[in-house]
């Protein structure tokens, strides 16, 4: 009998905690959306110094593992910077082909 009551209490407490968590997340998202609409929320600023160093290391042909170890960046950030460099190179090539 006590086991059933304890299990029910745990289920109720878990449901209350989950609802509280979801309410806090929803209110935070609403606040962020309101700030973005008002032009007050700009997100986390880019670390231009680190990104320039990463781009330089990519240009030098260093391996991704070496770059991540040297700069402390994530693989995702490194992939984003590599993709941006590729796109910029493609755009520069297209511009030079269009304007001889």
């Amino acid at each position: 009998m006590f086991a059933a009551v304890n299990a029910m209490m745990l289920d109720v407490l878990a449901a209350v905690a989950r609802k509280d968590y979801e309410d806090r997340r929803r209110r935070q998202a609403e606040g962020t959306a309101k700030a973005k609409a008002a032009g007050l929320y700009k997100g986390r600023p880019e670390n231009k110094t680190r990104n320039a160093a990463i781009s330089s290391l990519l240009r030098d042909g260093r391996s991704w593992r070496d770059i991540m170890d040297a700069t402390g960046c994530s693989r995702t950030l490194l992939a984003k910077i590599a993709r941006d460099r590729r796109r910029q190179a493609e755009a520069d090539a297209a511009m030079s082909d269009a304007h001889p």
Side-chain angles (χ1 to χ4, degrees):
M1 183 68 173
F2 283 122
V5 171
N6 284 341
M8 183 185 70
M9 286 284 282
L10 284 176
D11 288 344
V12 169
L13 290 172
V16 169
R18 183 66 179 176
K19 182 177 181 334
D20 181 56
Y21 171 78
E22 289 172 353
D23 286 346
R24 283 185 283 121
R25 296 277 307 216
R26 180 184 47 78
R27 285 193 299 267
Q28 183 179 10
E30 287 173 357
T32 302
K34 184 178 176 182
K36 282 182 181 179
L40 301 174
Y41 184 85
K42 295 175 180 59
R44 185 174 175 179
E46 176 182 353
N47 186 337
K48 294 180 188 222
T49 306
R50 181 191 58 201
N51 292 355
I54 292 169
S55 186
S56 174
L57 292 169
L58 283 169
R59 187 175 41 254
D60 293 343
R62 301 275 300 272
S63 73
W64 280 29
R65 174 54 49 200
D66 289 342
I67 296 170
M68 288 188 301
D69 290 342
T71 62
C73 72
S74 67
R75 188 170 195 84
T76 305
L77 176 63
L78 185 52
K80 177 182 178 272
I81 292 171
R83 182 185 65 233
D84 291 346
R85 287 188 75 240
R86 258 192 321 274
R87 286 183 181 162
Q88 186 61 43
E90 291 169 0
D92 291 346
M95 289 295 286
S96 65
D97 289 344
H99 300 287

